[in-house]
Amino acid sequence: MKLKGWKELPIGGIVIEPGNSREVETGTWRIARPVVDPQKCTDCLICWVFCPDDSIPSNGKVRFETELYHCKGCGICAVECPYKAIEMVQEADVIMEELKLTSK
Amino acid sequence: MAVELIKERKAVAMTGNQAIAEAMRQINYDVAAAYPISPQTELMGFFAEYLANGLVDTEFITVESEHSAMSAVIGAAAAGARAMTATAAQGLLYMYENLPIASNWRLPITMVLVNRALSAPLNIHCDHGDAMTARDSGWIQLFTENSQEAYHSLIMAVKIAESALLPAIVNMEGYIVSHTIGNVNLLTDAEVREFIGESDWRKNVPHPLLDTDNPVTYGATALPDYYTELKYPQHLATFEAKEHVKRVLEEFNRLAGTNYQVIEPYKLDDADFAIVVMGSTAGVARTAADQLREKGIKAGVLKIRLFRPFPYEEIAEALKHIKAVAVLDRHDSMNGLASPLYQDIASALYHLPERPMLHDFIYGLGGREVTVEDMLKAFNRLINIYTGRETRDRFTEYLQVRE
Ligand code: SF4
Ligand code: SF4
């Protein structure tokens, strides 16, 4: 996200566009990410209810892929999933994995 | 609608508290919130009488603490109301955590600070200790010498705050001004109301909370990536506020026939020695300067009216040719260095190629009476240090302490 300069901000630090917290990339705070095992997931949507960051999108029937721009990696979804379908994977491991792939 | 009471200008014998209550009536604030504390209690009492008699439209919130008073006027101002509060000493300290919020949110609140010494020891009389704690809060601060100036300053402060979009404090010395009768020339209600303009919640602040068609959030978080960008406009606005103050003082001078400036030099043009002072002591200092001049000593006085933002350029210009300057601080910052006004004056003079010798006198604490003799003592000590007849261990000294 491109950061705004002081001239672009409203006087007094007032928020004039409702809901602009969506723009804040809280995904950078994450040290572990939730990875869903599609074999175990029953689309019960318990994780959708519990995610404090609205990072689990759904159409009311299906659990879509986690939205990593906002997911802070709190791990609540992994704890609450009744089917143990979510594993928290360390971001460092994800990066190591990606490095291995690119160096091949 | 507020009643029109004073239709012709008149001079009335009034205490500072009465004069401020009169200004509040004429201003006809949308909202006032206050908690009683001496010497401010009486002031809000006078205003409550006007309210009870149906002379004003103000919503007066009798809150449960000063913290709530400041919170209430912040909310009111953010909504778009023209709002004020008044307090003193520990009352201001209890408000304190909200002061930098009002200034960063750019809310044009006005506050009457009836200057009182800070506890401990408990004391209800005047010094500038309370005002000094607010010197870095981002509020504009005006100091006043008598009830006339206090009355005028509150009217000016409304316009200053609303044009600079910064909150403003009018300092009025407890008891010395607040409870002492002086001659006050009152403007007519119509003149005051025309000068400050009608309060319009759509225009008092750029984004009023009452504008429900355009909802906004006040008080959002700004993390390390945005905090600086949200402080910088306030930094600039504080510098720019000086021009707003000057413009409003000029407009007011045209209306009332006064001659208010951000600083007021007295016989400084040819002076060798000068006292810098704020508040009612200015009058005593001028008398002392006149007496010294009769003896052939070229003495002068610089009274500071605008304390925040600090008019350092005007001060440097006014003092640059003086041999030695005594700064009179009605407060001790207990910082092992010197009191606040001294530090500010020293900073204002530092960039001059040649600067006056400076000395700091702490005086008038807890309402200690200040006499012409005290001022003569300050001048004499200053002159003796300058000429080498006396030495000094520190550049900051108490003027009136008993051995
Ligand atoms: S880890 Fe936390 S933030 Fe991320 S999807 Fe799960 S519950 Fe939401
Ligand atoms: S709680 Fe578990 S099983 Fe239910 S939708 Fe989420 S991941 Fe799937």
Side-chain angles (χ1 to χ4, degrees), chain B residues 77-80 201-203 205-212 214-216 218:
Chain B
W201 66 264
R202 286 176 195 81
K203 293 189 190 135
V205 289
H207 301 288
L209 283 173
L210 277 182
D211 182 4
T212 48
N214 299 290
V216 295
Y218 276 80

Side-chain angles (χ1 to χ4, degrees), chain A residues 35-38 40-50 56 61-64 66 77-78 80-87:
Chain A
V35 175
V36 181
D37 180 347
K40 292 186 189 163
C41 175
T42 64
D43 291 318
C44 73
L45 297 182
I46 291 285
C47 58
W48 173 83
V49 171
F50 275 94
I56 299 172
K61 293 195 180 81
V62 181
R63 183 209 196 279
F64 296 136
T66 311
C77 53
E80 296 297 337
C81 171
Y83 303 96
K84 304 268 174 274
I86 301 177
E87 190 198 344

Side-chain angles (χ1 to χ4, degrees), chain B residues 78-333:
Chain B
R82 185 176 269 166
M84 73 85 65
T85 185
T87 191
Q90 251 66 17
L92 179 77
L93 268 57
Y94 194 22
M95 285 183 178
Y96 196 88
E97 70 157 332
N98 289 320
L99 297 190
I101 296 174
S103 56
N104 184 260
W105 292 359
R106 310 289 303 278
L107 301 175
I109 299 161
T110 41
M111 184 203 298
V112 179
L113 187 58
V114 192
N115 304 115
R116 160 178 160 175
L118 297 176
S119 295
L122 178 64
N123 177 300
I124 57 169
H125 292 275
C126 169
D127 68 32
H128 298 162
D130 48 10
M132 290 303 138
T133 66
R135 70 188 188 274
D136 301 333
S137 65
W139 285 56
I140 293 167
Q141 282 203 48
L142 298 168
F143 273 79
T144 60
E145 191 177 329
N146 48 40
S147 25
Q148 176 73 78
E149 285 192 11
Y151 165 77
H152 282 161
S153 296
L154 185 59
I155 297 164
M156 292 190 286
V158 170
K159 195 158 184 168
I160 290 167
E162 287 173 10
S163 53
L165 279 178
L166 283 173
I169 292 172
V170 172
N171 287 289
M172 170 171 71
E173 293 183 348
Y175 297 102
I176 299 169
V177 177
S178 71
H179 287 64
T180 305
I181 291 184
N183 200 29
V184 181
N185 290 298
L186 298 175
L187 298 167
T188 69
D189 291 2
E191 281 175 324
V192 172
R193 286 167 195 168
E194 201 197 313
F195 181 76
I196 58 173
E198 209 174 317
S199 173
D200 180 350
W201 66 264
R202 286 176 195 81
K203 293 189 190 135
N204 290 346
V205 289
H207 301 288
L209 283 173
L210 277 182
D211 182 4
T212 48
D213 292 335
N214 299 290
V216 295
T217 298
Y218 276 80
T221 312
L223 294 176
D225 55 352
Y226 271 102
Y227 188 84
T228 305
E229 283 66 30
L230 291 170
K231 278 297 187 191
Y232 189 61
Q234 185 192 355
H235 167 86
L236 295 179
T238 310
F239 276 95
E240 286 159 12
K242 188 171 79 181
E243 294 312 314
H244 289 279
V245 175
K246 283 183 167 179
R247 188 174 44 72
V248 174
L249 293 191
E250 271 166 35
E251 280 175 39
F252 192 83
N253 289 340
R254 278 199 296 277
L255 168 71
T258 46
N259 186 24
Y260 292 144
Q261 312 293 333
V262 291
I263 56 164
E264 286 178 13
Y266 180 75
K267 300 190 178 171
L268 279 187
D269 284 348
D270 65 340
D272 293 325
F273 303 99
I275 273 180
V276 179
V277 71
M278 300 198 291
S280 66
T281 309
V284 193
R286 284 193 294 262
T287 307
D290 286 344
Q291 290 185 5
L292 288 174
R293 277 182 178 266
E294 279 168 24
K295 291 188 197 148
I297 297 166
K298 288 180 182 160
V301 176
L302 180 65
K303 179 173 95 173
I304 313 269
R305 177 182 305 285
L306 177 67
F307 176 57
R308 287 290 181 268
F310 198 64
Y312 67 97
E313 289 151 315
E314 291 78 358
I315 289 168
E317 186 57 35
L319 295 178
K320 63 176 196 294
H321 60 285
I322 312 279
K323 288 182 178 146
V325 172
V327 182
L328 286 172
D329 259 295
R330 199 162 192 156
H331 169 61
D332 186 348
S333 265

